[in-house]
Amino acid sequence: MSQVTIEKIAETVVGKRLPKIDARAKVTGEAEYGLDIHLPGQLVGKILRSPFQHAKILKVNTAKARALPGVRAVLTGEDIPVRYTFNFAEFEDGRKVPPEKGGESALRGLMPPPRADKHPLARGKVRFVGDEIAAVAAVDEDTAIRALSLIEVEYETLPAVTEIDEAVKPKAPLVHDEIEDNLAAHLHGTWGDFDRALKESDHVFEDTFSTQHQHQACMETHGCVCKWDSEGNLTVWSGVQTPHTIRLELAKVLDMPESKIRLISKWVGGAFGSKNELEPFMIICSQLSKVARAPVSLILSREEEFMATGCRHPYRVTIKTGLKKSGEIMAREVKILVDKGAYMCQGAAVAFFAICYPSASLYRPKAVKFDAKLVYTNKQPPSAYRGFGNPQASFAIESQMDMIAERLGLDPVKLRLLNANRPGDTTAHGWRMPQSTALTECIEKATEAIGWYEKKQHPVPNRGLGLACLIHSTGERGAYGNIEGSSCTLKVNDDGSVTIFAGSQDLGTGAWTILAQICADALGAKFEEIRVVAGDTDLPAFDLGAYASRSTFTGGNAVCIAAEKMKEDIFSLASELLNLPAEDLGISNSVVFSKSDPDIKVSLREVAKYAYYGAGKPKNLITVGIYDTPSTLIDTKTGMWKEPGPSIAYTFACHAVEVEVNPETGKVKIINLVAAHDVGRVINPTTAEGQIEGAALHGLGLALWEDVRIEKGVTLVKDFRDYFILRTPDMPPVKVIFVEKKDPNGPFGAKGIAEAALVPVAPAVANAIADAVKARVTSLPMTPEKVLKAIK
Amino acid sequence: MNTDLEMTVNGFKTILKAEPYENLRDLLRKSGYTSVKKGCDVGGCGACTVLANDKPVYSCCVLAAWADGKTIVTLEGLAKDGKLDPIQRTFMEKGAAQCGFCTPGFIMVSKYVVEHKPNATEAEVRKALGGNLCRCTGYVKIVEAVMAAKEQGLK
Ligand code: FES
Ligand code: FES
């Protein structure tokens, strides 16, 4: 857990708007995504999916499909008899806790042990329309599709439960026969003296909100290419967020050593949380390839993407808040009902995040009580999506803040300022807010930029202003084992250029560019001469993956550590070349110089040549940077965290929105959106803005339009004609404000940003609608119908 | 059942063999022009946009046979002698490509806009890009890139 002091290092590249290091490959079409991989002899894989919500599989006859010329492999559930699930927190203190001990969880006591509830190909019964039943690999797509149509499945349909209210009723049909009441998981507990905090409150308000299925809708659908060699090594090409942990899970399911699987993931066509867990298609594809003894490409169609890949969990959230007369928040209780769909995926972890983050740590409640029930239904299973439960819970909390302000006759801005988290605060569950906490400044800047008080004085009919705040993580200890780290190998090549072999993953966010910028300043090397090689589990680097807005922070710190070590090596060699003590040496722009006489210098290239070929002893310029944040796991005895909690650089934001509502039609127009974020030091303003602007698109969609409509278990959305995503002409202006308060632990003071900006948009819009037409919509998306109904 | 189609792709006269029911996107992709992306199947995303006789089309929405005798340009064909087209450069400089999956389609439409509507206002540019989806950027930097390329072209 070493830490580099970067205070003294000059920032010449950090903070600059530099083009991304992989931009050229993207603007020339050279970037090769999963669907572009074409190996000799490659076959096409396809999946047969259930047409029923709930049915017993009586018989699967594959004889005709197998007989079709060109078909090389046909698989059913009988051929892949494993059960698996996303295994959140499978380790404790680095040791694997066996399932029979109920351990398996760094969050034990609060999180249920993960239960394997999914077969890659269904066995016994199917549980949603889209459940995988069988799969084929054939010489081309046409043959594969024909083969699917030749597979005969005999079903016996079963009564289905597709709504949570039905599913929780006694005697409801069971999605998983062994799970009573369809209760997939139940998380409950208290932090602090809740009863007392409630008693000390002068006002108590309780309100309920609901959210919808929102889809990540990455432009690149899920998929992979799999290939085995004769020694039993498996190579997988797939654009994912978490190459190492997906490999870990795949190895477990296939019962083979991790190192015999190589996952290559250089280009990811969008992820947003949807590509961070092992999914059926990858297991299926690996087995098709094994049986067919040929490489197989299995790419989901857009329709499959909408019907069967994890979207955002719909939540029903009831928030009870106790406050003092002054508006000071004393107690908060959150009850969540989650529509889990047919399988668990990351459901429990997402709900836990919704509880721990906004519910327990936005503002300063003294005590928090929570109860989340995840209910199985015969529907497609949602999973992780940018924000990870935070958007749903924040919609409830931040909508209610305005409702409370109105009921108590308080100014919603002042109410938030009064309760805003401050640096050094400790939350009810034991998290310490970092010195970089700047929620107050974010609220002030956002309201100022949107012209809050002037506009309030001169109201325009049907126009309204709303705001909403956010807390989010920078990295999250407890996702896997007891680390929150990253590593990289740094190499100064024999021409003096630098290669970073990074564990960090880049989903298009610019994470690899950020690493190069950090390296340039931390090492004193020319930015143009730094390359990043990453996205491959065979590299000498490790990382948990790109989720929880962690890459800049953890990956960046790893680079700083490797760079510090590299400088020592460079200086020791240069001191031989220059005949000067190493302490007198500095390096900048790939030139080593004497601090006492800057005219005495030697290029990094010459140092490298000397190192590899001339020193008379082998001296390779290769260093490793390993970083782990000083964050903490939950104490399983107390159910609380020791400070600082799972993240050490919580981030905050405030969004302010101006809307115009047409009272005749209920249509909402976004006039302006201001997003103020305390991101610490901004390493690259262009990529940081890009994260906020892109997240705003998802946030507005969540607020107003996006909905994977599922009726009686049937997904009605098949393509982009049915799923409305904002397009260029309709995208409102987004004003980004960085509140740059350096974080003491971040690389050059940086914190995470990727997920945060999605979260406050929906509640800010809801509050603005309420301000415009005095009508409160408590259910997402806020369609014209719902707005009209609220007005009436 | 294959038919020979004669077209000019990225400046080269080529004969490509296509199934009668094959769409242009799939033909181009299997012929190695993998910048032509597949984001959907029904003209919903624009990731497959190419220029056909100088006009942007969703290549997934036309039959391959439709392109017989036409001049097709894909993203692979924009750079000349290793020199990027101005629109490619501004996409890089402005940070208009995040994951990059929508980028080929966006650049092809943008190329058309820059060349044929050099005086377009920002609102007109936005309208012209309305047929393409991007899930990463919020379009802000894409629009900036097109405006910048247009300005350079006007100089
Ligand atoms: S792939 Fe052609 S429009 Fe989507
Ligand atoms: S950059 Fe990812 S879809 Fe546009």
Side-chain angles (χ1 to χ4, degrees):
Chain A
M1 221 185 291
S2 60
Q3 183 65 39
V4 183
T5 331
I6 35 82
E7 285 300 307
K8 283 171 252 109
I9 296 174
E11 293 177 9
T12 57
V13 178
V14 162
K16 276 220 177 110
R17 289 186 181 273
L18 291 166
K20 292 200 304 183
I21 52 172
D22 54 1
R24 200 184 168 94
K26 286 173 178 169
V27 304
T28 53
E30 279 162 17
E32 262 191 344
Y33 302 83
L35 77 167
D36 303 325
I37 305 280
H38 201 90
L39 307 171
Q42 181 170 302
L43 306 173
V44 176
K46 285 265 169 217
I47 296 172
L48 183 70
R49 296 177 182 277
S50 165
F52 298 114
Q53 292 86 337
H54 197 189
K56 240 191 226 154
I57 304 169
L58 300 179
K59 214 165 116 199
V60 186
N61 185 350
T62 58
K64 283 186 196 150
R66 281 176 206 279
L68 185 71
V71 171
R72 295 275 299 275
V74 182
L75 296 175
T76 70
E78 304 307 312
D79 302 307
I80 318 178
V82 287
R83 259 171 107 92
Y84 78 104
T85 189
F86 176 81
N87 219 341
F88 191 81
E90 195 204 354
F91 302 87
E92 192 172 282
D93 303 328
R95 278 168 289 122
K96 199 166 168 173
V97 180
E100 60 275 17
K101 284 197 175 162
E104 289 201 356
S105 175
L107 309 168
R108 191 174 53 189
L110 297 174
M111 283 266 292
R115 200 177 55 84
D117 63 359
K118 175 91 179 111
H119 283 111
L121 289 170
R123 286 162 66 88
K125 64 179 192 173
V126 286
R127 296 182 176 85
F128 76 97
V129 176
D131 215 350
E132 295 82 357
I133 298 193
V136 302
V139 286
D140 55 32
E141 190 168 359
D142 295 342
T143 313
I145 291 170
R146 269 186 65 202
L148 285 189
S149 72
L150 292 174
I151 298 175
E152 296 159 345
V153 189
E154 261 178 59
Y155 296 99
E156 178 192 320
T157 54
L158 298 166
V161 274
T162 55
E163 305 308 323
I164 33 177
D165 295 322
E166 299 294 312
V168 292
K169 281 191 186 146
K171 302 234 178 80
L174 295 180
V175 179
H176 294 265
D177 299 343
E178 64 284 12
I179 300 298
E180 279 173 43
D181 307 329
N182 289 313
L183 190 59
H186 188 191
L187 289 67
H188 52 96
T190 319
W191 291 305
D193 189 342
F194 181 77
D195 293 335
R196 194 173 134 200
L198 204 61
K199 241 203 260 130
E200 288 175 1
S201 304
D202 298 314
H203 307 280
V204 178
F205 298 103
E206 186 174 296
D207 299 281
T208 299
F209 304 84
S210 64
T211 68
Q212 78 278 36
H213 287 91
Q214 183 189 21
H215 205 282
Q216 296 88 346
C218 309
M219 284 302 113
E220 181 198 22
T221 61
H222 287 71
C224 65
V225 174
C226 288
K227 179 184 184 234
W228 295 79
D229 71 12
S230 61
E231 284 177 4
N233 297 303
L234 169 64
T235 306
V236 182
W237 288 262
S238 186
V240 300
Q241 294 172 242
T242 53
H244 275 99
T245 54
I246 287 180
R247 176 174 79 159
L248 176 74
E249 294 182 30
L250 185 61
K252 193 163 54 188
V253 171
L254 301 183
D255 193 21
M256 58 194 279
E258 285 83 354
S259 61
K260 287 183 87 68
I261 301 174
R262 179 181 182 191
L263 180 45
I264 301 175
S265 188
K266 188 141 167 53
W267 306 104
V268 188
F272 318 112
S274 76
K275 295 172 181 171
N276 75 349
E277 69 189 288
L278 178 64
E279 288 179 67
F281 71 85
M282 197 180 280
I283 307 170
I284 295 167
C285 186
S286 75
Q287 295 313 289
L288 285 172
S289 169
K290 191 169 194 173
V291 172
R293 279 179 279 119
V296 174
S297 152
L298 201 167
I299 310 290
L300 301 194
S301 70
R302 184 55 63 187
E303 184 177 351
E304 290 178 290
E305 186 83 2
F306 275 123
M307 72 166 15
T309 62
C311 44
R312 193 186 294 291
H313 292 90
Y315 277 21
R316 195 180 301 159
V317 186
T318 301
I319 297 280
K320 188 197 254 178
T321 306
L323 309 93
K324 285 277 194 208
K325 277 208 183 69
S326 61
E328 186 188 353
I329 295 173
M330 299 298 292
R332 192 185 275 143
E333 181 179 3
V334 54
K335 286 193 200 139
I336 305 178
L337 211 51
V338 181
D339 187 342
K340 193 39 262 167
Y343 299 104
M344 186 57 132
C345 308
Q346 298 180 58
V350 172
F352 196 62
F353 199 91
I355 291 162
C356 293
Y357 274 85
S359 308
S361 54
L362 182 59
Y363 309 124
R364 316 162 86 204
K366 317 242 163 332
V368 175
K369 192 170 173 181
F370 63 91
D371 183 293
K373 289 192 175 123
L374 286 75
V375 181
Y376 280 130
T377 55
N378 289 114
K379 284 209 291 254
Q380 62 183 83
S383 196
Y385 183 165
R386 196 174 193 174
F388 211 71
N390 196 344
Q392 296 97 311
S394 285
F395 172 63
I397 289 167
E398 282 297 83
S399 292
Q400 198 204 28
M401 278 299 268
D402 266 41
M403 294 158 80
I404 291 172
E406 201 193 321
R407 288 165 187 155
L408 297 181
L410 298 171
D411 174 4
V413 179
K414 294 203 179 112
L415 178 63
R416 287 180 172 85
L417 285 171
L418 173 74
N419 287 291
N421 305 68
R422 287 155 218 178
D425 273 0
T426 301
T427 61
H429 49 4
W431 299 4
R432 194 180 60 241
M433 296 299 114
Q435 287 309 316
S436 55
T437 299
L439 180 55
T440 301
E441 293 89 324
C442 289
I443 297 172
E444 289 165 353
K445 291 246 155 78
T447 46
E448 187 192 315
I450 203 133
W452 188 273
Y453 289 105
E454 303 91 84
K455 285 188 179 148
K456 286 279 175 186
Q457 272 171 11
H458 310 285
V460 178
N462 303 321
R463 282 219 177 177
L465 294 174
L467 80 161
C469 296
L470 153 116
I471 178 170
H472 204 80
S473 69
T474 296
E476 181 74 4
R477 193 178 209 83
Y480 268 93
N482 188 8
I483 73 156
E484 176 34 34
S486 184
S487 65
C488 69
T489 296
L490 207 61
K491 181 179 179 191
V492 173
N493 300 298
D494 53 2
D495 61 358
S497 69
V498 180
T499 306
I500 307 169
F501 298 94
S504 306
Q505 187 64 329
D506 189 334
L507 314 175
T509 56
W512 294 337
T513 306
I514 297 298
L515 296 187
Q517 285 184 259
I518 287 172
C519 179
D521 279 350
L523 182 60
K526 279 193 190 133
F527 176 72
E528 309 76 59
E529 294 183 1
I530 299 173
R531 270 196 324 144
V532 177
V533 179
D536 184 342
T537 53
D538 263 8
L539 293 173
F542 178 85
D543 190 281
L544 292 174
Y547 60 86
S549 307
R550 61 191 294 282
S551 296
T552 295
F553 197 95
T554 48
N557 270 321
V559 167
C560 285
I561 290 165
E564 273 310 299
K565 291 192 197 161
M566 182 65 81
K567 279 204 281 198
E568 275 174 35
D569 290 356
I570 291 170
F571 292 157
S572 105
L573 286 161
S575 85
E576 288 174 28
L577 282 172
L578 297 174
N579 241 326
L580 283 170
E583 305 74 61
D584 182 39
L585 298 177
I587 175 168
S588 130
N589 219 10
S590 294
V591 176
V592 183
F593 58 89
S594 157
K595 285 191 257 184
S596 46
D597 180 359
D599 282 343
I600 305 177
K601 54 192 174 192
V602 58
S603 70
L604 185 54
R605 180 186 158 88
E606 285 167 86
V607 177
K609 280 275 175 315
Y610 180 65
Y612 289 106
Y613 306 111
K617 55 183 181 259
K619 187 81 180 89
N620 285 194
L621 290 174
I622 295 174
T623 60
V624 174
I626 303 173
Y627 176 74
D628 193 8
T629 70
S631 52
T632 48
L633 279 182
I634 198 164
D635 179 339
T636 50
K637 280 183 220 81
T638 62
M640 305 262 292
W641 276 264
K642 286 192 201 77
E643 293 193 0
S647 179
I648 56 165
Y650 305 99
T651 71
F652 294 86
C654 177
H655 286 197
V657 177
E658 184 172 10
V659 301
E660 187 172 290
V661 183
N662 182 330
E664 305 297 318
T665 62
K667 252 183 116 171
V668 178
K669 186 173 176 212
I670 307 290
I671 307 292
N672 211 347
L673 168 60
V674 177
H677 285 258
D678 74 346
V679 292
R681 175 72 173 123
V682 176
I683 308 286
N684 184 328
T686 304
T687 60
E689 284 165 5
Q691 285 309 296
I692 295 174
E693 291 155 0
L697 174 110
H698 290 244
L700 290 169
L702 179 69
L704 295 172
W705 308 282
E706 292 186 29
D707 192 359
V708 185
R709 285 159 297 124
I710 304 173
E711 254 179 48
K712 297 205 171 78
V714 179
T715 304
L716 301 182
V717 167
K718 298 203 182 326
D719 57 59
F720 292 122
R721 288 178 301 193
D722 315 318
Y723 192 79
F724 182 71
I725 292 174
L726 264 183
R727 288 169 186 263
T728 320
D730 307 313
M731 182 71 192
V734 178
K735 182 171 172 54
V736 176
I737 299 172
F738 296 126
V739 179
E740 286 195 73
K741 200 167 170 187
K742 286 192 179 185
D743 187 86
N745 292 295
F748 291 90
K751 301 204 275 189
I753 179 64
E755 293 166 284
L758 191 155
V759 181
V761 181
V765 172
N767 293 338
I769 294 173
D771 184 44
V773 288
K774 311 291 165 256
R776 171 62 58 179
V777 187
T778 54
S779 139
L780 296 179
M782 296 176 279
T783 56
E785 294 78 17
K786 289 186 200 165
V787 174
L788 266 189
K789 214 172 134 205
I791 293 175
K792 297 251 161 74
Chain B
M1 285 299 276
N2 271 329
T3 334
D4 282 358
L5 304 174
E6 211 180 303
M7 52 185 109
T8 305
V9 184
N10 297 338
F12 295 101
K13 272 215 157 60
T14 325
I15 293 175
L16 299 178
K17 288 187 191 307
E19 298 286 348
Y21 53 81
E22 197 163 16
N23 67 44
L24 179 60
R25 176 196 64 198
D26 293 352
L27 173 67
L28 288 169
R29 285 188 53 78
K30 84 174 184 207
S31 309
Y33 304 99
T34 52
S35 77
V36 185
K37 291 289 180 265
K38 174 174 175 166
C40 68
D41 272 312
V42 290
C45 73
C48 63
T49 307
V50 300
L51 298 180
N53 285 357
D54 245 12
K55 288 233 167 61
V57 292
Y58 290 158
S59 62
C60 72
C61 287
V62 293
L63 282 175
W66 172 87
D68 195 20
K70 292 200 166 63
T71 300
I72 305 292
V73 183
T74 71
L75 182 57
E76 287 92 342
L78 278 200
K80 293 270 166 339
D81 308 323
K83 242 189 97 200
L84 297 184
D85 188 274
I87 187 69
Q88 291 174 298
R89 261 191 287 117
T90 56
F91 261 68
M92 279 181 74
E93 285 158 13
K94 297 290 174 188
Q98 282 193 26
C99 80
F101 199 83
C102 71
T103 308
F106 266 102
I107 292 187
M108 297 321 287
V109 190
S110 304
K111 170 81 181 159
Y112 172 80
V113 174
V114 171
E115 227 146 70
H116 297 275
K117 304 188 171 172
N119 296 311
T121 62
E122 186 187 315
E124 286 161 352
V125 165
R126 284 182 171 268
K127 200 162 168 223
L129 301 180
N132 292 55
L133 273 180
C134 172
R135 196 54 161 161
C136 297
T137 61
Y139 309 106
V140 182
K141 312 244 179 282
I142 296 177
V143 173
E144 277 177 24
V146 180
M147 296 307 284
K150 234 162 37 70
E151 269 154 42
Q152 285 178 19
L154 287 177
K155 266 186 223 145

